[in-house]
Amino acid sequence: MNKDKVTLPSFNEAEYKEILHQAISQIRAARILIARQVNSSTQSVYWNLGKLLSERQLEEGYGSGVVKQLSIDLKNEFRDMGLSPRNLWDMKRFYERYHRADIKLRQAVAVLPWGHNLLLINKVKDDSQIEFYASETLSKGWSRDLLLNAIKMDSYSQAQKQIKTHNFDQTLPEAHADYANEVFKSTYNLGFLGVTEPIKELELENRLIAKIRAFILELGRGFSFIGNQYRLEYNSKEYFVDMLFFHRGLRSLVAIELKIGSFKAEYVGKMNLYLSLLDRLEKSENENPSIGIILCADKDHLDVEIALQDINKPIGVAEYQLLLPQAELQTLVLRELNA
């Protein structure tokens, strides 16, 4: 029996669905409006702080002491804002990147979450491309990870090649629920709105896992596929490895974790745990220690180096390219295994 289902004596089902539809539309519209207002206000503050640092001609190096002290004093005054020295320098870069840009571009980036803007500044140089990715993020509800993958796939160039055979963009309203969810997740935790992760993240991950599994099996060099979302149970807790293989030549289990965003240090700790569990629960006596590979959409070698510094399990971190030919992607994984 569904406890959430109540009797509606004075309404038929069609009338109720219309009420429900209108209520959902109102909430979604409010989400989008509030999210854009919050982001616009946040970017305005960041813009003005960046302008201040730029006009004072502070540069990393001789200006580092000033910005470091400024960060300390500002954080004492505004504890809930991201005012680290790194973030203050990023605000300066944000202002200097766009203060001479076309007004349309400035309006587009003004309502993006801060993390999206940092990604665009770091990854995209051309104004028209930034405007394209900002517009797509707003209309399609891209999270930061989805935006990163769109950039890596060079979606801008692909869109220029396509011949449009419809006028949907001009004539149909956009459903912005996913975008609003991501915006709130990136700024404030408004629990009453019931924010959830966009399903598109899971869809992308599943498709990438399928492709990676296929080309590893085609290597023909001793890989045997054991399973994906491979379940490990220890101390009454469950853990799931994205993909698990066995390599006959290495005589090792090979765990592969796929991350559709940028590398984070905690991924190493998680992989280290998986390898410990595999060695304890799955490895035979005549097999070598299990090997882990973390595939990310983007990585910084310094972040990887410090994350692996005191780890004694064999772990490699590789950056996947969505447009790589299969042979190059195979080489990438083999290189991490050999390392």
Side-chain angles (χ1 to χ4, degrees):
M1 181 177 176
N2 187 349
K3 295 181 180 180
D4 295 329
K5 201 72 173 178
V6 298
T7 304
L8 304 172
S10 58
F11 287 91
N12 61 40
E13 187 173 349
E15 288 176 318
Y16 173 72
K17 285 184 177 179
E18 178 62 24
I19 293 173
L20 177 61
H21 175 73
Q22 291 182 14
I24 290 173
S25 297
Q26 289 292 333
I27 293 174
R28 284 179 173 172
R31 279 181 169 182
I32 297 162
L33 178 62
I34 296 171
R36 290 191 174 187
Q37 288 174 344
V38 168
N39 266 341
S40 182
S41 298
T42 301
Q43 308 303 358
S44 178
V45 172
Y46 289 175
W47 177 274
N48 290 330
L49 286 174
K51 180 180 180 182
L52 175 64
L53 297 179
S54 181
E55 290 179 344
R56 292 288 180 167
Q57 298 183 342
L58 292 171
E59 300 292 341
E60 293 190 67
Y62 73 88
S64 295
V66 175
V67 171
K68 184 176 181 180
Q69 185 61 49
L70 182 64
S71 170
I72 293 171
D73 293 336
L74 287 176
K75 284 193 287 188
N76 286 334
E77 189 74 21
F78 308 101
R79 297 183 182 276
D80 58 341
M81 293 183 66
L83 295 167
S84 66
R86 179 70 269 160
N87 218 18
L88 289 174
W89 288 120
D90 285 335
M91 293 173 200
K92 179 174 179 286
R93 291 170 59 219
F94 178 64
Y95 170 77
E96 292 177 345
R97 176 64 183 82
Y98 295 120
H99 79 285
R100 290 193 178 94
D102 179 84
I103 185 64
K104 187 178 178 182
L105 175 59
R106 284 163 54 181
Q107 290 173 341
V109 299
V111 292
L112 291 178
W114 182 238
H116 288 61
N117 271 318
L118 292 182
L119 181 61
L120 288 173
I121 292 174
N122 291 330
K123 296 293 184 182
V124 185
K125 305 302 180 186
D126 181 75
D127 282 3
S128 59
Q129 293 191 33
I130 288 181
E131 187 175 330
F132 166 81
Y133 287 118
S135 176
E136 290 291 282
T137 296
L138 293 173
S139 65
K140 295 182 178 178
W142 284 347
S143 68
R144 189 180 184 278
D145 286 343
L146 288 174
L147 173 59
L148 173 59
N149 280 275
I151 294 171
K152 292 178 73 67
M153 288 188 294
D154 195 14
S155 297
Y156 171 80
S157 296
Q158 295 182 48
Q160 306 313 304
K161 297 174 184 177
Q162 294 175 354
I163 301 174
K164 290 197 173 182
T165 58
H166 59 75
N167 64 346
F168 295 164
D169 293 342
Q170 291 75 38
T171 60
L172 294 178
E174 290 286 348
H176 292 313
D178 286 349
Y179 167 64
N181 281 335
E182 173 59 22
V183 171
F184 281 121
K185 188 180 68 171
S186 300
T187 51
Y188 298 96
N189 179 18
L190 305 181
F192 77 96
L193 291 172
V195 178
T196 59
E197 288 284 340
I199 188 65
K200 287 180 286 189
E201 302 278 357
L202 182 59
E203 291 175 358
L204 175 59
E205 185 170 327
N206 287 338
R207 290 176 186 175
L208 286 173
I209 285 176
K211 290 185 179 296
I212 291 169
R213 180 175 64 234
F215 84 69
I216 290 180
L217 289 175
E218 289 176 9
L219 285 173
R221 300 181 184 179
F223 278 101
S224 297
F225 178 62
I226 297 176
N228 62 291
Q229 290 302 304
Y230 190 83
R231 179 177 171 274
L232 299 169
E233 183 176 358
Y234 184 73
N235 194 27
S236 301
K237 296 183 180 68
E238 290 184 322
Y239 305 90
F240 296 90
V241 180
D242 280 350
M243 289 175 285
L244 185 63
F245 295 83
F246 183 78
H247 193 280
R248 291 193 301 273
L250 295 171
R251 296 207 58 75
S252 292
L253 292 165
V254 179
I256 295 182
E257 281 287 293
L258 175 66
K259 305 298 179 182
I260 67 172
S262 300
F263 172 79
K264 296 178 182 178
E266 58 257 35
Y267 297 159
V268 170
K270 188 176 180 182
M271 176 60 81
N272 193 58
L273 171 63
Y274 288 164
L275 296 180
S276 295
L277 291 172
L278 286 170
D279 286 345
R280 178 185 289 261
L281 303 175
E282 303 288 337
K283 184 177 80 69
S284 300
E285 291 184 6
N286 61 342
E287 293 174 0
N288 293 315
S290 303
I291 297 171
I293 297 177
I294 303 169
L295 284 177
C296 301
D298 191 43
K299 67 174 180 177
D300 183 294
H301 74 279
L302 292 178
D303 290 341
V304 174
E305 182 179 349
I306 193 67
L308 293 175
Q309 183 171 322
D310 297 316
I311 299 294
N312 57 14
K313 298 287 186 184
I315 298 175
V317 179
E319 178 180 324
Y320 66 78
Q321 297 286 344
L322 295 180
L323 295 181
L324 273 182
Q326 181 172 308
E328 292 185 39
L329 201 49
Q330 293 171 353
T331 300
L332 180 151
V333 173
L334 284 175
R335 185 175 69 239
E336 292 300 323
L337 282 175
N338 292 334

